[in-house]
Amino acid sequence: MKADAAIAALGALAQEHRLALFRLLVQAGESGLAAGMIAETLGVPNSSLSFHLAQLREAGLVLQERQHRSIIYRANYPAMNALVAYLMENCCAGAADCGAGAACETPAQERKSA
Amino acid sequence: MKADAAIAALGALAQEHRLALFRLLVQAGESGLAAGMIAETLGVPNSSLSFHLAQLREAGLVLQERQHRSIIYRANYPAMNALVAYLMENCCAGAADCGAGAACETPAQERKSA
DNA sequence: AGATCATTTTGATAAAGATCGAAATGAAAT
DNA sequence: ATTTCATTTCGATCTTTATCAAAATGATCT
């Protein structure tokens, strides 16, 4: 991942509605959600939501696909994981007590180690 | 973690110099780096860098501590991990094929499963 | 105490992003 | 082919953010 892509992704997530929207899609899973459904759930006007969806899509964080009359949006999980990996890249310069049990470990990893 | 804190953290990271700065600190580990050293490394004027450091500090992503004449900055690893956890919270609504082997798994987790 | 050094605040300017109603687009259904 | 429905683009306004030189701060060393 390059810096520009990471900045775009982080900037896309750094906004109230877009963050809520992305988390909604992350939790929705592979089946995704229709744009209109999302707008209703978040209580945001359609035009505003469309703007935010475009931001997330341009940042590569969501994927879109037409299904019947609606357009379905899904979280792009690999992109999310790449972003996280980029943030933590070479954490603590590879010190021994870093990855295994302390600083550079996500909650999910902790559960596995414990 | 609350949404406001996550937005602040993401917004703090969504900027060229601050992202480079934070990754520098993540890689530097617990010993941290002095403000002046960072400014020199990144090629950013002191006043600009101070502004960016303040943003990251207010967002809770870095910690500061005086050491002799310099002020040392360190990455706040728990804050970073909390942010990542917030993004991935309840990923795929707990579907079986999500956490274990596919979508909602960071590269680090994949290594452990493999 | 006074000098020195690293960092932060100020202030003014320039650039980017958010909001939402109304109009336009574009595909699917009848 | 025409209607219908979901979503996107436009346009105008407002708020937020980035930049950096110069001055101010604030702690350390002599």
Side-chain angles (χ1 to χ4, degrees):
Chain A
M1 167 167 260
K2 279 182 282 182
D4 285 351
I7 292 166
L10 291 163
L13 292 171
Q15 207 277 341
E16 180 186 355
H17 299 311
R18 288 197 296 267
L19 180 58
L21 161 45
F22 181 72
R23 291 196 348 125
L24 196 63
L25 291 179
V26 164
Q27 292 172 22
E30 293 293 342
S31 58
L33 291 171
M37 181 69 198
I38 298 168
E40 195 179 347
T41 302
L42 299 182
V44 173
N46 283 8
S47 63
S48 296
L49 188 89
S50 183
F51 169 74
H52 292 307
L53 278 168
Q55 301 275 313
L56 285 168
R57 193 172 52 76
E58 280 164 32
L61 287 168
V62 306
L63 305 169
Q64 70 180 175
E65 181 188 1
R66 179 170 283 271
Q67 228 172 74
H68 306 291
R69 281 195 161 167
S70 303
I71 295 184
I72 303 293
Y73 282 85
R74 294 184 292 117
N76 186 349
Y77 295 106
M80 173 179 72
N81 294 337
L83 177 61
V84 171
Y86 183 76
L87 278 182
M88 300 174 116
E89 192 176 282
N90 196 20
C91 185
C92 299
D97 61 349
C98 180
C104 303
E105 204 169 38
T106 62
Q109 285 175 273
E110 280 174 41
R111 268 182 258 118
K112 291 202 176 188
S113 316
Chain B
M1 168 166 258
K2 280 182 282 185
D4 285 351
I7 292 165
L10 291 163
L13 292 171
Q15 207 279 339
E16 180 186 356
H17 299 312
R18 288 197 297 267
L19 180 57
L21 162 44
F22 181 72
R23 289 192 354 122
L24 196 62
L25 291 179
V26 164
Q27 293 172 22
E30 294 293 342
S31 60
L33 291 171
M37 181 68 199
I38 299 167
E40 196 179 349
T41 302
L42 299 181
V44 173
N46 283 7
S47 62
S48 295
L49 188 90
S50 183
F51 169 75
H52 292 308
L53 278 168
Q55 301 276 312
L56 285 168
R57 193 171 52 77
E58 280 163 32
L61 287 169
V62 306
L63 305 169
Q64 70 179 177
E65 182 188 1
R66 178 170 284 271
Q67 229 173 75
H68 307 291
R69 282 194 160 167
S70 302
I71 296 185
I72 303 293
Y73 282 85
R74 294 183 292 117
N76 186 349
Y77 296 106
M80 172 179 73
N81 294 336
L83 176 62
V84 171
Y86 183 77
L87 277 182
M88 300 175 117
E89 191 176 280
N90 195 23
C91 184
C92 298
D97 61 348
C98 180
C104 306
E105 205 168 35
T106 63
Q109 285 176 275
E110 280 174 42
R111 267 183 257 116
K112 293 204 172 186
S113 318

